[in-house]
Every structure is written in structure tokens, then in C-alpha cells.
Amino acid sequence: MNSTINSFLDKFPLFLWLGAFLLAGLLPAWAGPKEDGDAAFKAGKMAEAEAAYTQALAVQPDNALSLIGRGRARQTLGKRADAAADFERAVQLAPAYSEAWVGHGLAHYFAKDLTGALIALDKAVELNPQSARALHNRGVVHDALKDYKAGVVDCTRAIQIQPDFVNAYNERGNAWQQLKDPESALRDFETAIKLDPRNVFALTRRAIIYEARGDKEKAAQEYRFVLALDPKQAEAARHLAALEKAST
């Protein structure tokens, strides 16, 4: 039964097969807690999401969708070993499901196994070439491996699929900076800020570009704004301290 369920979810999107269960009056017992987990995850309530997915897995221990959901919640909570175990099990149960490989790849990335991360994310993209999340995360790994041109390619594809993908703009901007192309980097950071005006990564990187151009006051103003949003932003604090020291 478990293998049948996971084979089925490999072939059909969640909304189709869950809808089929609803129409047939056969909604499985794990579906309610899993939906609660999805809602909590979307709301940023990761502890609640983890608990709901765990409840779903108590009913159906080999459900790959619940394992993936719990793995993502656990990664966000910093429970990386537990998340890695969930994704390892998910790829065993549903090897044709791209999202399982994305999580598996991130588990390798957080464990500083960049080669393993790239292998898993290659598989995720192979299974679903239209997965912006898989492409973006593979771009992150390419950048960590200092293959910045490949990072630009993957993030560009992710943005083409999902034009409001803030993290993809940030990662591509980071790659452009490493490739010594500040104008392209600035365009990406400004797009990220337009989409998310309080995005401290993009704001900090834009300030660094201002500083490199010689616009010290504009950079300092931006660093202060970042620190007002998040006083723990060490990079912004370091740059601002250097600017203020140089001006005295």
C-alpha cells in the first residue's frame, strides 16, 4: 500500500490526487494533519508545522509528502540532522519526486557536502526542469563551488519561471558581484528590494556597491537602515563602522 501511494504521488500533482480522494469520499486520515502542516509552514509557524506533519506521519509513516514537509520545517528550525533523515527517507520512497531531491540536496549543502548537494539538485532539475526552487538552490551550490557563471544561468532560469523570486535575484546578484559586474548585480539587488523593501541582504549588498562607487554617505545611510531593521547584521555594522572611522 505504501509503495502504491508514493508511486501515485510521483505521477500526479498534489492537488489532483488529493482532489480525487475528496471526490471519492476517501480522504486519507493523514491528509488533515498534513494540510495543517502546510498551512502552518506557509504562515511561518515552523514548530506547529513540524508537529502537524509528525501527526500525519503517525498515521501514514511512509508518506513522502509529509516527510518532505516535515524536513523543510526542520531545516528552517535548524534541526538539520532530523531534516536530512526525513529527506533521505523521502527519496527512497518517492525517487521520481523532484521536491524530495531538493530537500536532500539542501541537507548535503548544510552538511558542507557540496558535491553531494550538486548531485541531488541535478536530479531534482532533471525530474522537474520547471522547478524554480530546484534551479535556485542549484545556483546557490554552484556559487559555493565558485562556478559563478553556472550560478547565473540557474538563477536566471529560476527567475524566468518565477519572476518574483526574491532569493534568486539575490543569489544572481551575488554571482554578478563575484564576476566583477557591479551594474548587473545592482539591477538584481534593486529588483529584490522592489519586491521586498525590507530585504536586508539586498539592501546591504546595494550599500556595498554604493560604497565601492565612492558614494560613502549614501552607503552609510543604507547601512543604518539595515541595522534599524536588524541590529544583528554584522556585515552592515562592520562596513558602517569603517566608514564612520574614516570620516573622523
Side-chain angles (χ1 to χ4, degrees):
M1 178 66 174
N2 294 339
S3 61
T4 301
I5 289 173
N6 287 304
S7 175
F8 189 68
L9 68 87
D10 287 341
K11 297 176 182 177
F12 297 95
L14 173 61
F15 72 91
L16 287 179
W17 61 262
L18 195 53
F21 275 122
L22 283 166
L23 288 172
L26 298 173
L27 186 65
W30 54 263
K34 188 208 171 285
E35 288 184 341
D36 291 342
D38 292 344
F41 187 95
K42 187 175 181 180
K45 300 176 180 179
M46 297 303 157
E48 290 183 22
E50 181 188 18
Y53 290 127
T54 298
Q55 184 181 351
L57 287 163
V59 178
Q60 175 55 271
D62 289 346
N63 185 273
L65 289 171
S66 297
L67 283 164
I68 292 165
R70 188 173 70 175
R72 291 184 66 186
R74 285 175 163 178
Q75 277 183 340
T76 307
L77 290 167
K79 298 180 178 181
R80 291 175 179 170
D82 290 338
D86 281 344
F87 289 122
E88 178 72 29
R89 183 65 176 148
V91 297
Q92 292 171 357
L93 292 167
Y97 193 51
S98 173
E99 194 61 28
W101 288 99
V102 173
H104 193 46
L106 286 173
H108 282 285
Y109 173 79
F110 288 127
K112 302 187 186 305
D113 175 12
L114 298 180
T115 300
L118 189 58
I119 290 170
L121 289 162
D122 280 345
K123 183 67 175 178
V125 174
E126 175 190 333
L127 289 167
N128 184 5
Q130 295 301 305
S131 171
R133 188 170 127 80
L135 288 160
H136 163 252
N137 283 303
R138 191 171 69 174
V140 170
V141 174
H142 280 310
D143 287 351
L145 289 166
K146 301 188 186 306
D147 188 355
Y148 301 115
K149 290 182 179 179
V152 167
V153 170
D154 273 348
C155 288
T156 298
R157 288 176 61 192
I159 289 164
Q160 289 169 345
I161 295 164
Q162 185 179 330
D164 62 350
F165 198 160
V166 173
N167 287 342
Y169 286 106
N170 278 339
E171 193 61 39
R172 190 172 69 176
N174 176 63
W176 285 129
Q177 281 188 309
Q178 298 300 326
L179 291 168
K180 311 300 183 187
D181 186 346
E183 294 306 315
S184 294
L186 183 61
R187 283 195 296 272
D188 276 343
F189 294 136
E190 289 186 334
T191 301
I193 293 164
K194 183 177 180 180
L195 291 166
D196 178 8
R198 300 169 68 88
N199 190 284
V200 294
F201 180 88
L203 289 162
T204 301
R205 291 308 177 95
R206 184 171 71 174
I208 289 171
I209 294 172
Y210 291 158
E211 185 179 349
R213 286 178 168 180
D215 195 342
K216 310 295 186 183
E217 183 54 40
K218 196 171 183 179
Q221 189 176 33
E222 191 109 309
Y223 292 134
R224 291 188 188 101
F225 180 56
V226 169
L227 292 168
L229 292 172
D230 183 358
K232 295 181 180 179
Q233 283 295 316
E235 187 175 30
R238 186 174 63 253
H239 278 269
L240 179 59
L243 285 175
E244 290 177 340
K245 183 178 180 179
S247 67
T248 57

